[in-house]
Amino acid sequence: MKNKSSMKIHFRNGCLALVLGSALAFPAASADPEAIVDYRQGVMSSLGGNTAASAAILMDGVDFRENLEKHARILAEFTRDIPALFPEGTDVGDHDAREAVWTDRETFENRAADTQEAAEAFYAVVRDGGSEQEIVAAFRDMGQSCRACHDDFRR
Ligand code: HEC
């Protein structure tokens, strides 16, 4: 009896995994431009949040210093492929991206690459125990690179 019921549970779990698996494999998500807009705004908001949190630590000296490396890591990870958040066909709904994102793609991708490099550099200097000056300088560079893209590509 014991074995039988555990097999059943196992089997049910197998079914559940299959059902979830197909739900995840199916998502019309990639085909729903407004969902992609929501996702990119969520990712961008997280960049804003982690930048603001880092600024509070570095500029205002709040007592959460041990979190700085985590904020920096998230910034490095989520700036790795910004252009992918702006595929063709997502100039839809309620958003603040300028048309230039799609018409001047080369500049847009260069700005994205600058930010990616700057965020990686910020993370590296925090992780590797750089001096306060190096960390603040890398943080400022990253912030300027975010702004450079927003100036041209965000309303
Ligand atoms: C290559 C261009 C580019 C770079 C680099 C970039 N952004 Fe953005 N960002 C945009 C665009 C375009 C929007 C508007 C997106 C929309 O409304 O769909 C945006 C939106 C935002 C928003 C508003 C999100 C919302 O909820 O509507 C925040 C906050 C933000 N970015 C923060 C940052 C930070 C912080 C960085 C740097 C670490 C950064 N961005 C780097 C292009 C960029």
Side-chain angles (χ1 to χ4, degrees):
M1 277 309 272
K2 214 179 171 189
N3 277 346
K4 210 175 169 189
S5 78
S6 87
M7 266 182 72
K8 202 169 172 188
I9 287 167
H10 187 73
F11 176 69
R12 280 200 177 144
N13 284 345
C15 271
L16 187 64
L18 278 176
V19 169
L20 282 176
S22 62
L24 290 174
F26 190 65
S30 54
D32 178 358
E34 295 202 18
I36 297 174
V37 171
D38 286 346
Y39 180 74
R40 83 165 167 241
Q41 290 175 344
V43 171
M44 279 292 168
S45 295
S46 80
L47 297 181
N50 283 287
T51 299
S54 300
I57 293 168
L58 289 171
M59 310 299 173
D60 306 327
V62 296
D63 198 12
F64 290 94
R65 181 74 192 201
E66 73 280 8
N67 287 338
L68 186 62
E69 187 175 329
K70 276 186 258 179
H71 295 302
R73 180 171 52 77
I74 291 168
L75 286 161
E77 287 183 0
F78 281 93
T79 50
R80 271 178 202 155
D81 197 7
I82 290 177
L85 301 172
F86 296 85
E88 282 290 341
T90 58
D91 188 0
V92 294
D94 188 13
H95 73 88
D96 296 321
R98 291 201 180 147
E99 212 189 336
V101 168
W102 297 277
T103 57
D104 186 3
R105 194 68 180 182
E106 200 184 331
T107 311
F108 182 74
E109 290 186 1
N110 285 337
R111 296 284 152 79
D114 289 346
T115 291
Q116 176 188 2
E117 260 175 50
E120 299 278 2
F122 173 53
Y123 175 45
V125 77
V126 172
R127 185 195 54 208
D128 300 343
S131 73
E132 197 64 13
Q133 272 154 313
E134 286 171 321
I135 290 174
V136 169
F139 179 68
R140 288 224 166 96
D141 284 350
M142 186 196 68
Q144 274 160 15
S145 77
C146 307
R147 223 166 299 131
C149 186
H150 290 169
D151 283 348
D152 289 339
F153 294 100
R154 183 181 169 199
R155 282 193 285 260

